[in-house]
Amino acid sequence: MSDFYQQVYEVVRQIPVGRVTSYGAIAAFLGSKQSSRMVGWAMNNAHSYPEYIPAHRVVNRNGLLTGKHHFGAGNVMQELLENEGFVVEDDQILNFKENFWDPVKELSLD
DNA sequence: AAGCTGACTATGG
DNA sequence: GCCATAGCCAGCT
């Protein structure tokens, strides 16, 4: 597996419970903010990773659950987020900005 | 092999 | 503030 995917998975795994981040933020942290699509693709292949990947904590820059369809037929992603204390409405995290977790800030600085 | 698609984002009208 | 376009790059048809 490419290091890119590996790093994406590790970053996503380090997202604290009750926090969320965006594909672009992860891509930016890896130094390829223009390849935010690849982060999403990495999530699609997340099942290939031996560890658990909380992909539901990764949404687009709007806090919109664009990838909910990949979790299952129903609104599994929303339920997972609500289970962690998020407020989701119309497939969007209302308090997204308040719970946003930026790896660039949280992991780079320290 | 060439073209399309997609769990994105930024920019311009 | 919404819609269209354009980069991005890996996987699929």
Side-chain angles (χ1 to χ4, degrees):
Chain A
M1 179 183 307
S2 302
D3 292 328
F4 180 80
Y5 289 77
Q6 178 78 39
Q7 291 179 85
V8 171
Y9 299 143
E10 289 186 5
V11 171
V12 175
R13 271 182 45 202
Q14 287 168 65
I15 301 175
V17 179
R19 295 293 189 96
V20 285
T21 191
S22 67
Y23 305 95
I26 297 174
F29 174 71
L30 298 180
S32 303
K33 63 179 182 181
Q34 298 170 314
S35 304
S36 47
R37 282 184 155 161
M38 296 302 94
V39 178
W41 193 254
M43 294 298 93
N44 192 25
N45 281 274
H47 57 82
S48 300
Y49 200 72
E51 304 295 329
Y52 171 65
I53 308 296
H56 58 277
R57 298 187 193 137
V58 184
V59 294
N60 74 343
R61 75 174 186 89
N62 242 338
L64 197 65
L65 279 55
T66 51
K68 61 171 293 186
H69 234 296
H70 290 258
F71 279 81
N75 47 336
V76 181
M77 187 175 184
Q78 178 174 334
E79 291 182 7
L80 284 170
L81 289 168
E82 289 179 338
N83 191 35
E84 293 186 359
F86 292 101
V87 181
V88 182
E89 186 173 298
D90 192 37
D91 296 339
Q92 185 174 348
I93 300 175
L94 300 187
N95 49 353
F96 169 70
K97 205 166 71 173
E98 299 173 13
N99 293 306
F100 183 69
W101 182 83
D102 191 350
V104 178
K105 295 178 182 176
E106 303 293 338
L107 297 182
S108 289
L109 303 184
D110 180 31

